[in-house]
Amino acid sequence: MSTEPKDVSVDARPKRQQTAKNIAQMKGGTPIVCLTAYITPMAARLDKYCDLLLVGDSVGMVLYGLESTLGVDVETMIRHGRAVCRGAKQALVVVDMPFGSYEESRELAFRNAARILSETGAGAVKLEGGVELADTIKFLTRRGIPVLGHVGLMPQSVHTNGGYGARGRSVDEWQPILEDAKAVQDAGAFAVVLEGVAEPLARKVTEEIAIPVIGIGASNACDGQILVTEDMLGLFAINPKFVKRYAELAAGIEDAIDSYAREVRTRAFPGEEHTYKMRGSNS
Ligand code: KIV
């Protein structure tokens, strides 16, 4: 048997657009790489490295300065979904269904999910909820709408579920989360995001369900990982335990802006090389 590590480089990835079906087939294989994206240039940068790009409702906090994700509406998700689809050629684009757009009835959920898919070009929607949303997920998936589930810590339920703390840190909290994950699977979701849970629970969920489990703050026992891109690039002030910062871009931006401000104030910018001359002049 070869001891060579598996090739997990960018070039190992298929060059066609990923679908929900492809992602479902990645269960138990090379971990699924996912990040959030909200705008075209970022999506274009992330695309060739990622299997899935999520247009998360975290857009409300990251780009619009909201305190939580609850104030995000369908129009905002559609606008950013379209922008991300313009930049993504390979990754599956999934758009979050915002708070209030799907909980009331499965018919409302269908209307909003259909709008999101048809007006953005995305390949799937994500919604938060387990057992109590299973009927809605089934209604959508049976009508041609691929659904990515989201269980464990569900930020849209922050007011009823008591904050953003990790779940499943004592065994008596496990059963409802396991039941949620199974319900989402049985309803036809192609994969499920598992957020903010202790490692042994994440491992158990991943072992016990047949669809990929994409973790965020859920250890490396999952079938894949997702992070908010601005968090891992050091562009967003909040830095929870589960975020590894792969860059400190906020500091780089500040340095650049500081240089710009100084150069404008001292007339060092714009220089000759940035200045239009009259036609026919030599310099
Ligand atoms: O909105 C979002 O960005 C998310 C991810 C953090 C999973 O739901």
Side-chain angles (χ1 to χ4, degrees), residues 36 38 54 56-58 96 126 128 150 193 195 216 226 228:
T36 58
Y38 316 123
L54 173 69
D57 59 356
S58 51
D96 251 343
K126 174 166 85 58
E128 295 180 13
H150 184 149
V193 168
E195 178 164 356
I216 174 162
I226 186 161
V228 170

Side-chain angles (χ1 to χ4, degrees), residues 4 95 101 138 189 224 228 240 263:
E4 287 292 300
V95 179
S101 70
K138 194 182 229 173
V228 170
E263 291 194 3

Side-chain angles (χ1 to χ4, degrees), residues 227-255:
L227 284 176
V228 170
T229 302
E230 284 74 3
D231 285 345
M232 57 91 85
L233 293 180
L235 279 168
F236 197 57
I238 300 168
N239 191 23
K241 175 184 172 68
F242 60 84
V243 174
K244 176 172 175 182
R245 284 162 83 133
Y246 286 81
E248 292 295 341
L249 295 193
I253 289 173
E254 287 226 15
D255 284 350

Side-chain angles (χ1 to χ4, degrees), residues 190-214:
F190 69 91
V192 63
V193 168
L194 179 62
E195 178 164 356
V197 304
E199 194 261 357
L201 174 58
R203 188 172 299 283
K204 192 164 173 61
V205 172
T206 306
E207 280 167 5
E208 290 198 5
I209 68 173
I211 57 173
V213 175
I214 298 171

